[in-house]
Amino acid sequence: MNDGTTTERPEHSQGGTYTVEGQEFVRDANYISTRITRDGEDGYAVEADRYRLIAARACPWANRSIIVRRLLGLEDAISLGMPGPTHDERSWTFDLDPGGKDPELGIERLQEAFFARDPEYPRGITVPAIVDTRDGAVVTNDFAQITLDLSTEWAAHHREGAPRLLPEDPAERDEMDSVMRRVYTEVNNGVYRCGFAGSQEAYDEAYERLFTALDWLEERLTTRRFLLGDAITEADVRLFTTLVRFDAVYHGHFKCNRNKLTEMPALWAYARDLFQLPGFGDTVDFAQIKEHYYVVHTDINPTRIVPAGPDLRGWLDPHGRESLGDDPWGGGTPPGPVRDGEQVAAGHSPLSPA
């Protein structure tokens, strides 16, 4: 049903603002599309120690950028600022940092960096965002392009042995792009269409589309270790950040409850496989994830009660997927230990026991 009405909703800081049009969730995909490139064509040239990635661990779109930065070894080239898991109608805040300010930018709210770029900035204050530390202004918040550019434009700053997340072969790249489009529309965004549906009809349609896609992924991953084959790619990063939140948040909070991730054998083993690889699970903070969704989405959860579960220990169970491919790094090497100051807090993950 589409009655022609448009209703603004408050969840505006994960990957873009959105509206409910005719009771159906619609994400606003208009971002600051400026790019940081080797030739500086958009006015921002690749330069080590100039830019700061602002990425909340709670947000799946931001989590992508944290993972890619770590896999490629860009920690020395691009610093990382991490807002806390909750925000108000204005902005993400740096409430986890001493004095409530980002230690490098000196701001309390990410909003300040957007207004430094455009004092009349009209859209949502979203993460991830890359900020130019020279003037404190946001360069871009185009989350999909950010990770692609980290792989290509920042190649001179990659660590030795960094995996190739974007296939060189044109046919393989076309296949990856096709897979990523379906993962985005049906899964990454699909869980939000379920959670923020404004009518039974809109929810039923979103639910059907989501689980049709998950069944397709279950079948695809039964015979291959990763989405494109034997090695990880950008496509795996994009799917992982939704799967890792599925049972903790989307199954209950967003009513994506035909079954849990743990009840889909191939997808659950695949998700554990990625989680246990350096660069994936060591970026995931389950406590922040749950706090964000259950506290910020007051229209869905007005009591703001954060569930105690689920039990996270299963994420470390053996996955047995080595038989489908024995080199997840595609001839490269895993990243080293997590940098000091970037570790997930103790007790917030099975990888960071209390």
Side-chain angles (χ1 to χ4, degrees), residues 9 16 36:
R9 300 294 290 266
I36 302 168

Side-chain angles (χ1 to χ4, degrees), residues 94-154:
F94 296 96
D95 49 291
L96 300 180
D97 290 310
K101 291 186 177 182
D102 179 85
E104 189 166 332
L105 300 175
I107 58 176
E108 296 179 353
R109 293 176 173 274
L110 181 56
Q111 183 184 55
E112 296 173 55
F114 278 78
F115 287 169
R117 173 71 183 263
D118 177 2
E120 304 297 327
Y121 184 74
R123 299 187 180 278
I125 308 301
T126 68
V127 290
I130 295 183
V131 178
D132 187 344
T133 61
R134 291 181 176 183
D135 58 8
V138 167
V139 176
T140 180
N141 65 334
D142 187 345
F143 68 90
Q145 190 63 48
I146 284 172
T147 51
L148 297 177
D149 284 346
L150 292 181
S151 277
T152 54
E153 303 302 317
W154 288 84

Side-chain angles (χ1 to χ4, degrees), residues 36-236:
I36 302 168
T37 58
R38 283 169 287 189
D39 60 13
E41 184 176 3
D42 282 0
Y44 294 92
V46 167
E47 184 179 336
D49 203 30
R50 173 178 172 182
Y51 302 101
R52 187 160 177 80
L53 172 65
I54 305 300
R57 291 192 191 276
C59 169
W61 319 98
N63 195 177
R64 292 181 184 183
S65 62
I66 297 173
I67 292 170
V68 171
R69 171 180 173 270
R70 174 151 159 65
L71 292 176
L72 299 178
L74 289 169
E75 292 95 333
D76 288 336
I78 306 172
S79 64
L80 177 64
M82 291 180 285
T86 62
H87 59 75
D88 57 22
E89 68 281 357
R90 291 171 57 195
S91 176
W92 295 91
T93 57
F94 296 96
D95 49 291
L96 300 180
D97 290 310
K101 291 186 177 182
D102 179 85
E104 189 166 332
L105 300 175
I107 58 176
E108 296 179 353
R109 293 176 173 274
L110 181 56
Q111 183 184 55
E112 296 173 55
F114 278 78
F115 287 169
R117 173 71 183 263
D118 177 2
E120 304 297 327
Y121 184 74
R123 299 187 180 278
I125 308 301
T126 68
V127 290
I130 295 183
V131 178
D132 187 344
T133 61
R134 291 181 176 183
D135 58 8
V138 167
V139 176
T140 180
N141 65 334
D142 187 345
F143 68 90
Q145 190 63 48
I146 284 172
T147 51
L148 297 177
D149 284 346
L150 292 181
S151 277
T152 54
E153 303 302 317
W154 288 84
H157 298 279
H158 290 180
R159 65 178 176 85
E160 184 177 355
R164 185 177 296 279
L165 299 179
L166 306 181
E168 288 186 295
D169 180 81
E172 291 181 7
R173 179 60 189 269
D174 287 346
E175 181 184 9
M176 187 190 76
D177 288 343
S178 176
V179 169
M180 292 197 305
R181 279 193 297 271
R182 188 170 184 184
V183 166
Y184 171 72
T185 60
E186 309 304 292
V187 181
N188 300 148
N189 206 40
V191 293
Y192 283 84
R193 283 203 312 273
C194 288
F196 290 106
S199 70
Q200 188 68 51
E201 183 180 359
Y203 167 75
D204 289 345
E205 180 183 359
Y207 177 97
E208 180 66 26
R209 286 177 59 179
L210 169 65
F211 281 99
T212 296
L214 289 176
D215 287 340
W216 166 70
L217 289 165
E218 175 76 7
E219 182 177 359
R220 184 180 183 93
L221 289 165
T222 298
T223 57
R224 64 185 78 196
R225 185 170 180 182
F226 302 108
L227 285 173
L228 271 294
D230 294 344
I232 57 172
T233 65
E234 170 96 11
D236 298 295

